[in-house]
Amino acid sequence: METRSWWNRSRNQIILLGLAILAAWLVRQTQGAALYEMYYWLTRPFHLATATVTEQDKIVRQIDPRINQLEAQLQEVQIQNQKFQELLNYVNSKKQDKGVVAPVIGRSADSWWKQIIIGRGSQDGIQNQDLVVAPGGLIGRVINVTPNTSKVMLLSDPMSRIGITISRSRNMGFLKGKAIEQGVMEFFESDPNVKVGDVVVTSAYSQIVPPGIPIGKVISVDMNKAPAPEAILEFFAPISSLEWVIVYRNQKLNSESNKTSNPSIELPKN
């Protein structure tokens, strides 16, 4: 019995040794391909799961940008709708005047604060020196007209000059642009009654614009400025981000002055 048990153990060891030698020979002859193949088949379920996840990731990565694009487009439509609603409300509040709504179609970086091009011209009844406003107030005047477009000089242009007045105290002066969202009011009086927060409108003594059009509010005052006190104004209308404007006929100027293509400059009176 002991001999048979010993033989069985020895036979099993010989068989295992033979299998090990055979496996080593196969690895040597196939460069491990057989083991790789066996490993592949044993791990294939995990490969399929990984591949499925990878494909899902690819689909998600393709869908996400499209969703972001649609969300951006929807947001832009909502913003444009809000702008149109504000513009419509402003036009409705000015029912006594007939204005022409015009898109801003041109604006160059080197003249961002000086001029804009709007998509309405003489065929729409636009004339030189017509007033251009946006929700908030005056933003400039038409200085050149073609059949389908018009060039507008902005209040922020350093060359722009119009007569204005402090609504509360009625002190007057003229406005010149600063090439930013602000303008400078130079007073005619040496000791004007002005303070931060005062509302500024166009002056009744202005030669080129009608009176009472909102311009902006005072944000700082320099009473020691020479040769005359100055106030810095912040414009009511968003001059830096104009997309749509409204053009009104300038009743202040006669038809002869409307025919000229040169912008009128209102200078301070002595």
Side-chain angles (χ1 to χ4, degrees):
M1 293 294 293
E2 292 181 1
T3 302
R4 181 178 296 178
S5 176
W6 175 83
W7 169 249
N8 289 335
R9 288 197 301 272
S10 298
R11 184 180 60 184
N12 292 337
Q13 291 175 353
I14 292 171
I15 292 173
L16 291 174
L17 180 60
L19 290 173
I21 293 172
L22 178 61
W25 181 81
L26 287 173
V27 170
R28 182 185 179 94
Q29 295 299 318
T30 64
Q31 309 252 327
L35 287 179
Y36 290 138
E37 187 71 15
M38 183 181 298
Y39 173 80
Y40 170 79
W41 285 105
L42 289 174
T43 59
R44 188 169 184 271
F46 303 102
H47 294 169
L48 292 175
T50 303
T52 302
V53 172
T54 302
E55 290 300 323
Q56 291 175 348
D57 288 342
K58 288 181 179 179
I59 294 174
V60 169
R61 285 197 294 269
Q62 292 173 355
I63 292 176
D64 281 349
R66 180 58 177 165
I67 292 176
N68 292 337
Q69 178 185 359
L70 293 174
E71 287 179 346
Q73 290 174 341
L74 177 60
Q75 183 178 7
E76 178 64 17
V77 169
Q78 291 173 337
I79 292 174
Q80 289 295 337
N81 183 62
Q82 182 180 356
K83 288 181 179 292
F84 282 131
Q85 188 61 47
E86 292 173 353
L87 202 61
L88 179 61
N89 293 338
Y90 187 84
V91 172
N92 288 338
S93 69
K94 305 288 184 180
K95 284 184 178 179
Q96 67 276 16
D97 301 322
K98 290 185 178 181
V100 177
V101 176
V104 177
I105 62 172
R107 193 169 191 171
S108 61
D110 59 349
S111 61
W112 190 265
W113 298 101
K114 297 179 180 180
Q115 298 174 354
I116 58 173
I117 305 297
I118 59 175
R120 296 288 185 269
S122 58
Q123 290 186 354
D124 303 287
I126 307 298
Q127 298 182 4
N128 280 309
Q129 300 304 318
D130 278 353
L131 306 175
V132 184
V133 304
L138 186 69
I139 61 111
R141 293 171 289 120
V142 174
I143 59 172
N144 187 269
V145 181
T146 70
N148 298 299
T149 65
S150 300
K151 184 182 294 184
V152 178
M153 172 186 272
L154 299 172
L155 295 183
S156 52
D157 187 338
M159 292 297 295
S160 176
R161 300 286 190 278
I162 63 170
I164 56 177
T165 185
I166 301 295
S167 184
R168 176 184 60 84
S169 65
R170 314 311 297 172
N171 287 112
M172 299 182 186
F174 70 95
L175 173 70
K176 61 181 181 181
K178 290 187 62 179
I180 55 175
E181 290 275 15
Q182 300 170 357
V184 178
M185 179 179 185
E186 293 189 6
F187 291 93
F188 299 144
E189 300 93 337
S190 60
D191 187 22
N193 180 4
V194 58
K195 62 181 180 180
V196 172
D198 277 343
V199 172
V200 179
V201 298
T202 54
S203 170
Y205 289 99
S206 172
Q207 298 175 353
I208 58 177
V209 293
I213 304 176
I215 298 292
K217 65 179 179 180
V218 176
I219 60 173
S220 68
V221 178
D222 186 353
M223 299 297 290
N224 298 318
K225 186 73 174 181
E230 288 184 354
I232 303 299
L233 313 180
E234 182 178 66
F235 297 124
F236 286 142
I239 291 181
S240 65
S241 57
L242 296 169
E243 296 183 27
W244 293 86
V245 297
I246 311 167
V247 183
Y248 291 102
R249 182 59 46 81
N250 189 348
Q251 303 295 342
K252 187 80 173 184
L253 301 178
N254 57 39
S255 59
E256 289 302 317
S257 64
N258 282 339
K259 292 179 182 178
T260 179
S261 61
N262 297 322
S264 298
I265 302 298
E266 190 152 37
L267 298 176
K269 305 172 182 61
N270 293 328

